[in-house]
């Protein structure tokens, strides 16, 4: 295993950098390809087993060069905002679909053993049943969700055409240290947390009764690594199996930070899904892992890291 090389696209980002840390700790050699548009070099550790290439997944040649000698690929480079995909669907599709196709082509040409790529719970849209199993109907409500679903279709096609082994991970709502709160498109926990620390009122879109399945980034990184060596292919949820509404989330954050600021309510976002809670049966069977962090433990770890 010590000699195995893993290419991590988006490795300088939020989920990427935690995955890189755990890969290095497990003895892998890691190559990071990142355009540093949202990722940061300071997210990465100094380690002999790590090489960094500044480059974009939309540049096929850069992806091919970075893929050389890789046994595995973890593809995380993406435009991650649902809202931004509505505002600029063309650029979002370029990064999230064409970038992913480049990675699939390069992975196939390099003969990698496994491609693991970031899909999303956003592919489901508003589910009929909770928790949401992988067999549920897919019905995205945003360009972002559609892009991730298209990626899954390409992955299936690359398997049929070329036998490329892949596993798409449908992440639910990931949170933890290094998730940037500054962007207007930032995830809700990083934004709420930042507001409470700076003693400003958080903004809640809608009544705050929408629910999400929040999973701590270190658990997601473990799922990523397990997926690389799992014999399974197709798609798999990465979730905790629990859900919490935003108002309950805010009270947990009040407890963790010791700061209480009342929320300001704005109209809900059209592209928002209402409820989200992942079924974890498949991930337990395929990846042989269970989340180790509760929401409150993860929030405390975020507080300590800040
Ligand atoms: C998130 C992820 C997406 C992932 C998907 C999986 C981010 C930025 N997006 O989308 O990459 O694929 O989960 O399900 O991490 N909200 C507020 N106030 C705020 C910000 C958000 O009330 O300041 C609300 C939103 O309206 C929404 C909920 O919080 O109802 C979650 O929003 P957000 O964190 O942006 O994530 P998703 O849209 O669920």
């Amino acid at each position: 295993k010590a000699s195995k090389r893993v290419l991590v696209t988006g490795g300088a980002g939020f989920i990427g950098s935690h995955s890189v840390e755990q890969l290095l700790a497990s003895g892998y050699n890691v190559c990071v390809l990142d355009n540093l548009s949202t990722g940061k070099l300071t997210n990465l550790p100094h380690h002999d087993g790590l090489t960094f290439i500044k480059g974009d997944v939309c540049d096929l040649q850069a992806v091919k060069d970075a893929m050389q000698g890789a046994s595995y690929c973890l593809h995380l480079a993406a435009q991650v905002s649902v809202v931004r995909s509505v505002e600029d669907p063309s650029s979002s599709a370029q990064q999230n679909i064409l970038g992913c196709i480049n990675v699939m082509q390069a992975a196939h040409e390099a003969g990698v053993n496994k491609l693991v790529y970031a899909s999303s719970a956003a592919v489901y849209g508003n589910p009929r049943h909770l928790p949401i199993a992988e067999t549920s109907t897919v019905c995205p409500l945003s360009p972002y969700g559609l892009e991730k679903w298209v990626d899954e279709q390409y992955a299936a096609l690359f398997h049929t055409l070329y036998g490329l082994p892949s596993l798409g991970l449908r992440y639910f709502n990931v949170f933890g240290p290094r998730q940037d709160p500054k962007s207007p498109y930032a995830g809700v926990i990083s934004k709420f947390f930042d507001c409470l620390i700076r003693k400003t009122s958080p903004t809640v879109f809608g009544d705050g009764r929408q629910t999400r399945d929040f999973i701590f980034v270190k658990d997601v990184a473990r799922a990523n690594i397990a997926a690389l060596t799992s014999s399974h292919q197709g798609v798999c949820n990465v979730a905790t199996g629990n859900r919490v509404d935003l108002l309950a989330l805010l009270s947990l954050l009040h407890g963790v930070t010791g700061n209480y600021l009342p929320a300001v309510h704005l109209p809900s976002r059209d592209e928002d899904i209402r409820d989200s809670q992942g079924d974890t049966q498949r991930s337990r069977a395929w990846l042989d892992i269970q989340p180790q962090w509760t929401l409150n433990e993860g929030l405390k770890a975020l507080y300590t890291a800040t």
Side-chain angles (χ1 to χ4, degrees), residues 81 98 144 175 217 276 297:
S81 163
L98 298 179
Y144 174 84
F175 75 100
V217 65
S276 185
E297 286 165 355

Side-chain angles (χ1 to χ4, degrees), residues 80 120 144 173 185 187-188 203-205 210 212 246 269 272:
V80 302
S120 168
Y144 174 84
N173 289 61
Y185 310 105
V188 66
T203 304
V204 170
F205 298 119
Q210 63 268 53
R212 291 292 185 273
L246 294 189
R269 308 195 302 210
D272 253 11

Side-chain angles (χ1 to χ4, degrees), residues 14 79-83 119-123 144 148 170-174 179 184-189 191-192 195 202-206 208 210-214 246 267-269 271-274 276:
F14 165 49
Q79 188 295 103
V80 302
S81 163
V82 173
V83 177
S119 183
S120 168
V123 300
Y144 174 84
K148 293 291 180 175
R170 291 177 172 171
Y171 300 143
F172 282 65
N173 289 61
V174 187
Q179 188 173 32
Y185 310 105
V188 66
I189 289 187
K191 283 181 102 176
F192 281 3
C195 288
T203 304
V204 170
F205 298 119
Q210 63 268 53
T211 59
R212 291 292 185 273
D213 183 332
F214 292 105
L246 294 189
S268 57
R269 308 195 302 210
E271 63 281 7
D272 253 11
I273 56 174
R274 181 72 185 170
S276 185

Side-chain angles (χ1 to χ4, degrees), residues 179-229:
Q179 188 173 32
D180 187 6
K182 306 259 158 18
S183 145
Y185 310 105
V188 66
I189 289 187
S190 64
K191 283 181 102 176
F192 281 3
F193 187 76
D194 191 54
C195 288
L196 295 187
I197 295 294
R198 291 188 295 104
K199 306 206 167 139
T200 57
S201 280
T203 304
V204 170
F205 298 119
D207 61 5
R209 291 293 176 196
Q210 63 268 53
T211 59
R212 291 292 185 273
D213 183 332
F214 292 105
I215 181 163
F216 192 57
V217 65
K218 286 185 199 277
D219 281 328
V220 173
R222 277 174 48 245
N224 288 340
I225 292 160
L228 290 174
T229 51

Side-chain angles (χ1 to χ4, degrees), residues 148-297:
K148 293 291 180 175
W149 188 58
V150 170
D151 289 345
E152 294 180 357
Q153 304 307 302
Y154 268 96
L157 189 63
F158 269 68
H159 183 253
T160 310
L161 290 177
Y162 313 116
L164 176 68
S166 69
L167 187 52
L169 298 180
R170 291 177 172 171
Y171 300 143
F172 282 65
N173 289 61
V174 187
F175 75 100
R178 299 180 209 147
Q179 188 173 32
D180 187 6
K182 306 259 158 18
S183 145
Y185 310 105
V188 66
I189 289 187
S190 64
K191 283 181 102 176
F192 281 3
F193 187 76
D194 191 54
C195 288
L196 295 187
I197 295 294
R198 291 188 295 104
K199 306 206 167 139
T200 57
S201 280
T203 304
V204 170
F205 298 119
D207 61 5
R209 291 293 176 196
Q210 63 268 53
T211 59
R212 291 292 185 273
D213 183 332
F214 292 105
I215 181 163
F216 192 57
V217 65
K218 286 185 199 277
D219 281 328
V220 173
R222 277 174 48 245
N224 288 340
I225 292 160
L228 290 174
T229 51
S230 158
S231 57
H232 293 277
Q233 300 188 44
V235 295
C236 182
N237 287 344
V238 173
T240 66
N242 306 312
R243 69 194 167 108
V244 65
D245 72 30
L246 294 189
L247 300 183
L249 168 68
L250 260 180
S251 5
L252 286 176
L253 279 167
H254 290 148
V256 167
T257 61
N259 295 345
Y260 175 81
L261 280 304
V264 172
H265 286 258
L266 288 180
S268 57
R269 308 195 302 210
D270 289 342
E271 63 281 7
D272 253 11
I273 56 174
R274 181 72 185 170
D275 294 306
S276 185
Q277 178 185 15
D279 185 312
T280 59
Q281 272 190 60
R282 185 178 286 183
S283 64
R284 280 183 277 135
W286 285 17
L287 308 179
D288 196 24
I289 53 159
Q290 294 195 45
Q292 292 181 340
W293 296 75
T294 64
L295 177 55
N296 208 42
E297 286 165 355

